[in-house]
Amino acid sequence: MEQATFGGGCFWCTEAVFQSLKGVEKVVSGYTGGRIANPTYKEVCSGLTGHNEVIQVTFDPAVISYEELLEVFWKTHDPTTLNRQGNDTGTQYRSGVYTHNEEQHRLATAYKQHLTEANAFDGPITTEILPLPVFYPAEAYHQNYYNLNGSQPYCQFVVKSKVDKVKAVFGDKLKATV
């Protein structure tokens, strides 16, 4: 198993997107990139810690490659809005790829460069690509959030649209539903 860490706005959205993929064993919502150890959600939401809301994905590279995870990452959020995803604003919602080794860094940088050269987006890509400093898991009530709270308004209006997009665009990469 390998790990990948992504920041694509609210971690409830990115968690729900990656949980449905074949080869993904586990997704943990958390924080990285800030100035304090073991931050709380309230501290991160203040925008003063420097932390980003991220997910850490444990995946089987024999089933889904890091490159495929990057493709899902780039296609399921807007990497051109600095410190913002939709109505969520602040440095804690910045777009980021936090690499676990040199190969991930090389692949993420090459993918971003390819998208830039292809003019894949209307604006410049603001996604930061950095070695993962430290990952802090978020509080328990943030884990598996969409699956446990799917009827809440935020989940219905924001998270569900991202989950639906993954189903439409990446149907061949989805886990079988029971």
Side-chain angles (χ1 to χ4, degrees):
M1 291 294 182
E2 294 182 18
Q3 290 187 317
T5 304
F6 302 112
C10 170
F11 50 34
W12 297 341
C13 294
T14 50
E15 177 191 62
V17 162
F18 283 86
Q19 282 178 323
S20 64
L21 300 173
K22 287 182 211 170
V24 170
E25 179 183 291
K26 180 171 70 168
V27 181
V28 178
S29 291
Y31 316 107
T32 196
R35 295 178 287 283
I36 65 171
N38 300 306
T40 65
Y41 182 67
K42 185 176 181 181
E43 289 170 331
V44 172
C45 284
S46 75
L48 301 175
T49 67
H51 281 289
N52 191 7
E53 286 192 17
V54 298
I55 56 160
Q56 191 159 82
V57 179
T58 301
F59 68 100
D60 181 348
V63 179
I64 189 165
S65 68
Y66 184 71
E67 294 94 327
E68 290 172 300
L69 294 176
L70 285 170
E71 179 185 12
V72 172
F73 168 76
W74 293 105
K75 289 183 178 177
T76 55
H77 81 293
D78 183 351
T80 67
T81 53
L82 184 63
N83 300 328
R84 167 183 224 115
Q85 284 300 303
N87 290 330
D88 294 330
T89 59
T91 57
Q92 68 271 27
Y93 301 115
R94 66 190 179 270
S95 177
V97 177
Y98 303 96
T99 58
H100 291 250
N101 56 49
E102 283 299 318
E103 179 65 3
Q104 285 187 358
H105 193 85
R106 184 188 69 73
L107 291 168
T109 302
Y111 205 117
K112 179 179 175 180
Q113 183 64 34
H114 170 74
L115 292 172
T116 298
E117 290 171 359
N119 294 314
F121 297 99
D122 291 335
I125 296 171
T126 63
T127 305
E128 62 185 14
I129 300 173
L130 301 168
L132 177 69
V134 177
F135 174 78
Y136 299 102
E139 297 83 345
Y141 70 92
H142 290 296
Q143 307 304 330
N144 200 28
Y145 194 85
Y146 178 70
N147 291 328
L148 297 174
N149 301 281
S151 62
Q152 291 194 357
Y154 185 88
C155 290
Q156 284 296 301
F157 295 110
V158 180
V159 184
K160 186 177 183 310
S161 66
K162 291 181 180 274
V163 170
D164 289 346
K165 181 177 183 178
V166 168
K167 288 178 182 175
V169 176
F170 297 104
D172 61 322
K173 293 184 186 344
L174 298 180
K175 294 175 182 171
T177 54
V178 180

